[in-house]
Amino acid sequence: MGKNKNSVKENAIQFLFKYGAIALLIFIIFYFSTISDAFFTYGNFSDILRSISIVTLLALGVTFTLVVDGFDLSVGSTMSLSTVVSASLMVWYDMPLWLVLILPLLIGVFVGAVNSFLIVVIGIPDLLATLSMMYIVAGLHRTYTEGYSIYNNMPLTSGGTAPGQLSEAFLWIGQGQMLGLPVPVWIMLVMVLASYVVLNHTRWGRVLYMTGGNAEAATLSGVSVKKVKFTAYVISGIFASMAGILFTARVGSGQIDAGAPLMMEAVAAVFVGYSVLGAGKPNALGTFFGAAVIGILLNGLTILNLPYYAFDIIKGGVLVAALAVTYVYAKKKFSKA
Amino acid sequence: MGKNKNSVKENAIQFLFKYGAIALLIFIIFYFSTISDAFFTYGNFSDILRSISIVTLLALGVTFTLVVDGFDLSVGSTMSLSTVVSASLMVWYDMPLWLVLILPLLIGVFVGAVNSFLIVVIGIPDLLATLSMMYIVAGLHRTYTEGYSIYNNMPLTSGGTAPGQLSEAFLWIGQGQMLGLPVPVWIMLVMVLASYVVLNHTRWGRVLYMTGGNAEAATLSGVSVKKVKFTAYVISGIFASMAGILFTARVGSGQIDAGAPLMMEAVAAVFVGYSVLGAGKPNALGTFFGAAVIGILLNGLTILNLPYYAFDIIKGGVLVAALAVTYVYAKKKFSKA
Amino acid sequence: MVEPLLSMTAIGKKFGTVTALQGAEFQLKKGEVHAILGVNGAGKSTLIKILSGVYQQDEGSIYLDGAAIRLDSPKAAKQQGIYCVYQEVDTAIVSELTVAENILLDTFAEKGNLFVSRQRINEQARSVLHELQADNINVQQKAARLTLAEKQMVLIARALVHSAKIIIFDEPTAPLSIHESEKLYTVIAKLKAQGVGCVFISHRLPEVFEISDRITVMREGTLVQTYDTAQADQDGVIEAMLGAALSHELEPRAHDIGAALLEVSNLSDGQKLKDLSLTVAAGEVVGIVGLVGAGKTELAKALFGGTPLTSGTIKLDGKNAKIKHPADAIKAGMALIPEERRKEGLFVQESLEANASFPNLKQFSKRLLMDRKAEKRYANEIIERLRIKTGSTETPLVHLSGGNQQKVAIGKWISLNSALYLFDEPTKGVDIGAKVDIFKLIRQLAESGKGCLYFSSEIHEAIGISDRILVMYNGQIVKELSRQEATQERILLYASGGKEELGEKQEFGERKRDSVSI
Amino acid sequence: QPQGDVSEEETSSDTESEASDHPLAGKEIALIMQINLGTFSAQYIAGVEEQVESFGGKATVFTSEGDLAKMASNLDAAINQGVDGILIDHGTKEALNQGVEKALEAGIPVVAFDTGIDVEGVVSLEQGDQQMAEMTLEKLAEDNGGEANIVKIWTAGFAPMERRQVAYEKFMTDNPGIQEVTAFGSATDNTALDTQSQMEAVLKQYPNEGEITAVWASWDEFAKGAVRAIEQAGRTDIKVYGIDMSDEDLQLMQKDGSPWLASAAVDPADIGRIQVRYLYQLLNGEQPEEKVVLEPVFIEAENLPEETVTTDELSEYVEGWGASDQGYTDDLRELEGQ
Ligand SMILES: Nc1ncnc2c1ncn2[C@@H]1O[C@H](COP(=O)(O)OP(=O)(O)OP(=O)(O)O)[C@@H](O)[C@H]1O
Ligand SMILES: Nc1ncnc2c1ncn2[C@@H]1O[C@H](COP(=O)(O)OP(=O)(O)OP(=O)(O)O)[C@@H](O)[C@H]1O
Ligand SMILES: [Mg+2]
Ligand SMILES: [Mg+2]
C-alpha cells in the first residue's frame, strides 16, 4: 500500500514510544553504575525507593484525577494539612494510633469532596477549583498550627509543653524495616499495585477511564459522571493524606508546608509516566515509573556531585523528553485516523 | 412567555456577574476605611499599586496566553531568570543601561519561543510544556548564578569582588517617583492600558481571542494559529522579563527564585479578573482588577491584624467566589444552547 | 390485538423556550421494526432520548408491557431492556479505549463481576462483530483509529451485546455505505425474529420502506400519523412529514457561464485523495457528490489549504496559486463554508458581529483599532440579506438555531467578495425553510459571476442546485455528469463504486431509488 | 493549637490598654519578616510578641513569603499605617534602605535583625555568625584530635551564610588535618527533607567507616536532614555539628545516641525580645549603639539532661541561654513592671 518507507519510521517511533522510557531508565542506571560502585547496590535502591515513596503516593492521587480528565492541584496542601494534623493528634492530644491514622484520612476525604463539589456542582473547571482549594487548605493548615511545626513535647503558645509525642509504632510507618525493605516502600508498592489493579483490571477502572475519555458516552452508558468524579477526587484526597501521614512518620515531626514543593514533582512523575509502555494516558505503573526515574536521576546526580541547582534542568529535560515522545507519537497515531 | 419569574432571578445573576466583583471591591474598601484611618489615603493606595505592579505584569503575560487558550506556567521562572540576568549584567559585567534592559527582554522572547516550539511544533499541551520549561528555566537561572543572589560588589567565586553595581538610573525604575506616583505604578498602568487596547480594540486582539475561542475555525478563517500562539507566548515571556527587571530595580539586587512564589498569585489575579464587568474570559482590565483586589485585601487584612497564616484562606476564598460567580453564570448563559 | 410492548402517550418536552415535543405518541409491538420519520427538528431524537432515559419528559407517560415506568437515567432504561444506538457517533465512542471495551461499555456501569478479563471481553466483542459480519475490525485496537463507519458498527454491536427488549437505531445508516447498511438490515431481521422491538430512524426513505413494518411520521414535536408500511405510499408519507406537498425544485439557471475560474489538476494528498482534476467556471455551480467518507470534506479542505498536498496544481483565474494555508486561499479569492460549522466555521460563544467581520478584519478597522460601528452595520446587512432570525447582532451564536447559524457561517464571507465559494454540506442539519434560503443564496452568488463548489451527499439536493455534477468514490472523481444526465440512480451507482456497464443493467433493478427524500 | 492563644491575646491586650497610662504603653509595633517558616521563625515571633506585650504594646506581623519586593511593600504599608516602631527580620539593605529612610523621616524608629541595613539611626542586630562557626568547628577539631574528613553542608545566597563561610575558610587553612570530603546544600522549600535525601546519597558514596568523620552543617535545617539520614542509615561513626538551635532541634539532639553533638546559636526568642528592647530604647529617646552583636551560646549534647527539655528550660543547663538581658535599661524594666 505504498507505506513501506513510512512504516519503518513509524515502527521506530512506536518502539521508542513503548520502550523508550524503559530504555532510558536502563541506560541511566547503567551509566551511574559505571561512575560509582555505591550506586548499584541494594541499599541504595531501597533508599531511592524510600525517597520516592511520598511523592509516589501523591502522584497516584493526581493520576486518579487525571484519569477522569480532571486535575488536582490541591494535593500538596492536603498533604501538608494531613502532616500537621497527624502530628498534632499525637503531640497535642495524645490520641491513640488508630485515630491518628483515621482522622487525617477523613480530612483527605473532606477536601476531595469539597473539590468535587466545586467542580461538579458549581461547574468551576478542575484546575481553577483545585487551585483555589490549594490556597485555602494551605492557609487552614498554617492557621491550625499558628505557623509552628509540630514536634515532641513542643512548648505550647498557651504555655506549658505539649503532653504527647510521636509514638514508636507511628514512627515505624515511616522509618521501620520489614522483610528487608523500608516500610514506606511496602506501602508505596502496595498502593501502586492496588491502583494498577483497580485502574487496569476492574470494572471501576474502566468506568474511570471511560468517564475521562468521553464523559457524555459514559453518561449514555449509564455511568453517573458526577459520582465518578467525586470518587476520583476523594481518592486523590486520601492519597494526599496518606502521603502526609507518611511524611510525618518519616521525618518524626509535623513540618509546616511539607507538601507544597512535592506537588509539582508529583505532577511531573505522572506526566513522565504517560509514556511508559505506550500507555499514552495516566496510569498507575507509569506514575510509579516516573517517580522512580526522577528519584534515580536525582540520586545519581548527587553521587555525581552535580551542583544541586542543575537538578531542575535535568528534571525539566526528562519531562520534556517524555512528553515529546508521547505527543509526537500521538500526533502520528491520530493523524491517520 | 411565562418566564417572568425566572427572568428576575436571571437578571439578579447577570447583575451579580457584571458588577459583583466591583461591588465587592467597593465594599472591601469601604469596610477597611471604617476600620483604619490609614487605609483610605493617597499614600496607602499608591503603595498598594506599587506592591501589585510586579504581579500585574506577570499576570498580563498569563492573560495573553489564556486568551489564546494556552497557559504559561513558566512565567515565574522566566521572571527569576530576568531578575538575575539584569542584576548580573550590571554587577558582573558593568554593562550600560540599555543593554541591561534589552538583554533580559530578549531572554523573555527566547523562553516564549521555546515554549511555543514545544506547544505548536511538538504538540505538547500548553500546561505540560510550560511546566517543563518552568523547571528548566528555574534550573538555568540558578546555574547561571551558581545559586548566589547578586548584589553590589559581591565576592565572586573566582575570587575578587564584582566590578559593578546597580546604577541609580536603573534603581529609579523600581524605586523612583514620577508625577506623584511611583515609577513601577506608571509602568504597570501603561502596560495594562496597552494590553487592554490591544486585546479589546485592535484587530490583533480580535485574532487572539478568536484563536482562543475556536482554533480550528480561526484557521479556516485564514488565521495562522501557530503564529498567533507563538506571539502570545513571546508576549508572555516579555512581560515576565519586564516583571523581573522591575523586581531587580525595586529590590536593588538579583534575588534567586524571585518569581516562583509570584506565579500562582498572577494566575489567581487573572482568574479573579474573569468575572470583571461580565467578561467571562481573560481580559487585561480584569487582570489588573484581580491583582488590585488581592492587593487591597492583603493590605487591609494586615491592618486588621489578621494572623499572617490566614491570608491564604482569604485569597483562596476570593478566588472561589469569583470563579463560582463566573461559572454559575456561564452555565445559565449557555445552557439554553 | 395483543397489548403493545411499549407505548408512549402524550409526551411533552421543552428545552427552555423551545418546545421539542408536545403530545407525542408512539407504540411498538414485540418483534416489529417501527420507523420514525420527520424533518430535521421534528423531535425524533428527543423522543427516543426520553425513551432511553437521557432526558425526562415534562409530561406524558411510558408503558412497558402494560406497566407505567419511569426512566430517569440511561441506566434505568437499560435495566428495562431498552438500548439505543445514538445519532451522534462521537458522543458515544470513547476513543481512548479499545474496540472491545467500547462494545462492552455498558456492562462496566452495571453491577457484576468486579474484575474485568481482557480475554473474555475480546471474545465477546469478536462474536458480536461476527454477527454483524464485521470480523475485519480488530477488537484490540483503540477506537480512535476506526473510520466513522466502523465506529457506527461498534455502536450497533454495543446494543446487540445485551438481551434487549427494545433496540433504538437513531439514523444508524447515515455514515454507512450501502454494503454495510445491508449487513445491518440482516441483523435487524434477526432481532425481529427473536422478538425484539426495533425503532428505526432514518432520512433514507427507501430503506425505511424496505425494512420497516410500520412508519410513524412526526412533525413539530407531535404525531402526525402511523402507517402500515405495506399500505403506505411514499408521496403520502412525505406530505405528512412536510405538512405540504414537496415543491423544492428551483428555477433552472438562467444566466451564462463565464470563463474557467478554478482549474485543479492531478491533486493528491498522500492519504485519501488520489489524482483529482476538476474545473469550475465563473457563474457555475459544480456539485461534488459522494457517499459519506468518499473524501469530499478532504477535497474541500485540501483546495482551501487546510491540509497539505503531495502533488497537483491549483490554478485560479489562470494563475498558479500556491496555497499552503487557508490564509493563502482567502487571499487568492476563495471562501470555505465547512461541514461542521460549530467546530470549524463559527465562534459560537461570540456575537454575530464578531463572527461576521472576522475573515476580513482589515475592512472593519481603521488602522489597527476596530471600527465597532462598521461591524454592526455589516452584521445588520447580512441579517437582512440572509433573513437571519436573531434578537440582536450581539447575541452569542449559541442562541441561534442551526439553520441560522449556518447562514452566519455563509454570511461571514460575503464582505470579502470572494471569487470562488466552497460549500461543504451546507444543508446538513438545516430545516427546509432555511435550506431553500441557502439554495437561493447560492444561486444569487452564481448569478453575480462567482464560482461555487457544492459538496454534498444529499444527491437530490445536489441535482437541484448544480449545473454539473462530479461523483466521488474513495478519494477519486469517478464520473462527471451534466445536469441533464444526472439522476439519483446513476449518481448513487457511481458513488458506491459501481461501473458503467453494470449500472446500465441495474438501472431498473428491483430497488427503486427515485424518490426524493429529505 | 489547644487552648489557642487567640483568646488569650485578646484578653491580655484588653487589660493592657485599660491599665497603663505610661507614655510608652499602647505602642503599635510592626514586625516585617522576609521568610516565615518553621519553628525558628515561630519562636522568634513569639519572643517579639511576648516582649512587646510585656511593654504594653501590640505587635503586627507582616509576612513576605521570601519575596523581597513584597517585604519592601510591607514596610511601606506599615509606615502608612502609622505604626510606632518597626522591627525588620532579614531582607537586604538594597531592598529596604529606601523604606527605612522613609520610616525615619516619619519619625518611626527601626531595629533590624540580620539585614545589613546601613542607614543612620537604625539599630542593627546581628548574630555572631563568624563566632558561631568558629565555636562549632573548633569543637569538631577538638573532638577528633585535629584530624577529620568532613562533609560541609552550606549554601550561598544569604548574608549570614556567607559570614559563616568566611570563618569556615579561615578554619580550613588553619587546620590542615581537616579535609573536606564533599560539600553540598540547597535552601529549598523543603530543606530538611531534601538534605536528608542528599545526605543518604552521600553516605552511599562513602560507605566505609572513617571516610566521613563528621558533618558540619551551616544551618540547623541542614543539620536536621543530615542527622535523620545518619540515624536511619544506622551509622554511628559520623557526628554532626550545626549552627542555630530551635526547640525542635533540641529534641533531636537529646535523643539517645544522636549524632548531633553540638550547636552554636542564639535563642530565637531572645533575638525577638532583645530586638524589641532596642526598639523601645529608641522610642524612649535613648541612643543605643547602632550595631549590636548577639552573643551566641554553645550547646553540647553532653551537657543536656537525661529527660527531654525544651528551649524554655534550656537556661537551666546551658549558660547564657534564654537569659539574655541585653538591651534592658532602667526605664524599660520600670515599664515592664507596670
Ligand atoms: N438539548 C437541547 N437543548 C435545546 N434544544 C434542543 C435540545 N435538544 C433538542 N432540541 C431542540 O428540540 C427540537 C427537536 O430536536 P431533535 O433532535 O429531537 O430533532 P430530530 O427530529 O432528531 O432532528 P434530526 O433529523 O436533525 O436528527 C429541535 O428544535 C432542537 O433544536
Ligand atoms: N478513514 C477514516 N477514519 C476515520 N474517520 C473518517 C475516515 N474517513 C472519514 N472519516 C470521518 O468521516 C467524516 C466524513 O469523512 P470524509 O470527509 O472523508 O467524507 P465526506 O465525503 O466529506 O463525507 P460527508 O461530508 O458526507 O460526511 C469526517 O468527519 C471524517 O473524520
Ligand atoms: Mg435526530
Ligand atoms: Mg464531509
Side-chain angles (χ1 to χ4, degrees), chain D residues 217-238:
Chain D
S218 59
W219 180 25
D220 61 338
E221 289 293 312
F222 291 150
K224 270 194 263 186
V227 165
R228 286 187 194 122
I230 291 168
E231 278 181 342
Q232 289 181 24
R235 295 284 291 266
T236 50
D237 53 319
I238 302 171

Side-chain angles (χ1 to χ4, degrees), chain C residues 291-293 295-298 339 424-425 428 455 457:
Chain C
L291 297 180
V292 177
K296 304 183 295 294
T297 301
E298 273 91 344
E339 177 176 6
D424 192 0
E425 310 269 6
K428 197 169 161 182
F455 300 84
S457 44

Side-chain angles (χ1 to χ4, degrees), chain D:
Chain D
Q1 297 200 7
Q3 303 131 42
D5 66 349
V6 183
S7 55
E8 187 200 33
E9 201 172 49
E10 272 168 14
T11 51
S12 62
S13 52
D14 276 354
T15 50
E16 229 85 59
S17 51
E18 292 161 16
S20 176
D21 51 356
H22 190 283
L24 283 184
K27 294 288 186 200
E28 292 198 12
I29 309 297
L31 170 58
I32 317 288
M33 301 182 72
Q34 184 185 3
I35 318 177
N36 195 331
L37 267 188
T39 312
F40 188 97
S41 304
Q43 278 183 282
Y44 165 78
I45 296 173
V48 167
E49 283 178 343
E50 177 201 324
Q51 188 70 69
V52 170
E53 269 167 35
S54 75
F55 288 154
K58 196 175 128 224
T60 304
V61 183
F62 289 75
T63 184
S64 317
E65 288 149 27
D67 177 355
L68 279 178
K70 197 177 263 177
M71 190 174 182
S73 302
N74 281 339
L75 181 55
D76 292 332
I79 297 165
N80 276 323
Q81 286 172 30
V83 296
D84 300 300
I86 292 175
L87 303 171
I88 298 177
D89 168 37
H90 287 87
T92 65
K93 66 177 177 211
E94 291 88 354
L96 301 172
N97 269 359
Q98 206 188 23
V100 169
E101 275 162 15
K102 201 165 128 195
L104 295 184
E105 268 166 42
I108 306 171
V110 177
V111 179
F113 165 58
D114 260 353
T115 306
I117 284 179
D118 52 3
V119 177
E120 211 177 294
V122 174
V123 175
S124 294
L125 272 62
E126 197 179 292
Q127 299 189 71
D129 283 299
Q130 297 211 22
Q131 207 185 340
M132 291 195 288
E134 283 161 13
M135 281 172 164
T136 47
L137 286 165
E138 272 157 21
K139 173 74 176 160
L140 190 161
E142 187 193 315
D143 285 356
N144 297 291
E147 300 275 334
N149 295 324
I150 65 169
V151 173
K152 178 178 82 158
I153 314 182
W154 178 81
T155 183
F158 304 90
M161 285 292 170
E162 275 150 23
R163 289 198 291 267
R164 290 167 197 188
Q165 168 72 357
V166 172
Y168 178 80
E169 275 168 5
K170 185 166 170 301
F171 171 81
M172 290 304 275
T173 47
D174 292 350
N175 293 276
I178 310 250
Q179 294 296 323
E180 180 182 300
V181 178
T182 182
F184 69 95
S186 52
T188 62
D189 294 324
N190 212 331
T191 305
L193 192 69
D194 289 346
T195 307
Q196 188 176 344
S197 300
Q198 287 174 343
M199 188 69 208
E200 273 163 8
V202 169
L203 290 177
K204 285 281 130 44
Q205 205 181 356
Y206 302 98
N208 303 315
E209 192 158 323
E211 283 177 327
I212 300 171
T213 331
V215 174
W216 183 70
S218 59
W219 180 25
D220 61 338
E221 289 293 312
F222 291 150
K224 270 194 263 186
V227 165
R228 286 187 194 122
I230 291 168
E231 278 181 342
Q232 289 181 24
R235 295 284 291 266
T236 50
D237 53 319
I238 302 171
K239 304 302 173 201
V240 177
Y241 300 82
I243 293 180
D244 293 336
M245 166 75 37
S246 74
D247 200 77
E248 195 183 351
D249 305 341
L250 191 60
Q251 315 295 327
L252 269 181
M253 219 165 146
Q254 291 178 81
K255 267 232 270 293
D256 265 351
S258 170
W260 197 341
L261 291 190
S263 194
V266 183
D267 180 3
D270 253 351
I271 300 174
R273 287 191 283 258
I274 294 169
Q275 201 179 353
V276 173
R277 286 177 212 142
Y278 278 101
L279 184 68
Y280 271 79
Q281 283 191 31
L282 290 169
L283 285 171
N284 196 28
E286 295 169 41
Q287 294 278 316
E289 71 261 60
E290 288 197 349
K291 195 173 178 76
V292 178
V293 177
L294 300 170
E295 287 293 318
V297 176
F298 190 59
I299 304 143
E300 286 181 84
E302 57 194 53
N303 293 345
L304 297 173
E306 284 288 304
E307 72 276 11
T308 47
V309 291
T310 66
T311 39
D312 289 344
E313 306 153 294
L314 198 56
S315 53
E316 296 172 33
Y317 309 94
V318 179
E319 198 183 333
W321 185 266
S324 174
D325 51 9
Q326 231 175 331
Y328 269 124
T329 62
D330 295 341
D331 282 357
L332 295 186
R333 293 239 185 250
E334 183 195 331
L335 171 62
E336 206 172 49
Q338 292 239 328

Side-chain angles (χ1 to χ4, degrees), chain C residues 4 17 30 46 91 102 115 148 191 222 280 319 337 345 356 371-372 391 427 436 457 476 482:
Chain C
T17 52
K30 211 160 172 280
T46 307
T91 61
N102 267 291
F115 288 93
L148 192 62
L191 290 171
T222 182
V280 181
K319 278 172 292 201
I337 292 87
D371 181 352
R372 291 269 155 79
T427 57
V436 172
S457 44
Q476 285 168 305
S482 70

Side-chain angles (χ1 to χ4, degrees), chain B residues 71-153:
Chain B
F71 204 147
D72 194 347
L73 287 175
S74 70
V75 289
S77 298
T78 309
M79 170 180 157
S80 302
L81 182 59
S82 142
T83 301
V84 296
V85 166
S86 61
S88 72
L89 290 179
M90 281 178 284
V91 173
W92 292 352
Y93 306 109
D94 226 353
M95 290 215 177
L97 187 61
W98 65 272
L99 265 181
V100 172
L101 298 179
I102 292 293
L103 282 182
L105 292 182
L106 289 183
I107 287 176
V109 170
F110 180 74
V111 175
V114 176
N115 271 330
S116 40
F117 172 80
L118 293 177
I119 294 164
V120 173
V121 180
I122 309 271
I124 303 178
D126 303 65
L127 210 61
L128 310 191
T130 56
L131 175 77
S132 317
M133 279 302 279
M134 180 186 93
Y135 280 118
I136 293 178
V137 175
L140 281 179
H141 101 283
R142 285 197 215 109
T143 307
Y144 176 66
T145 69
E146 298 179 14
Y148 288 84
S149 290
I150 293 169
Y151 46 93
N152 292 342
N153 304 114

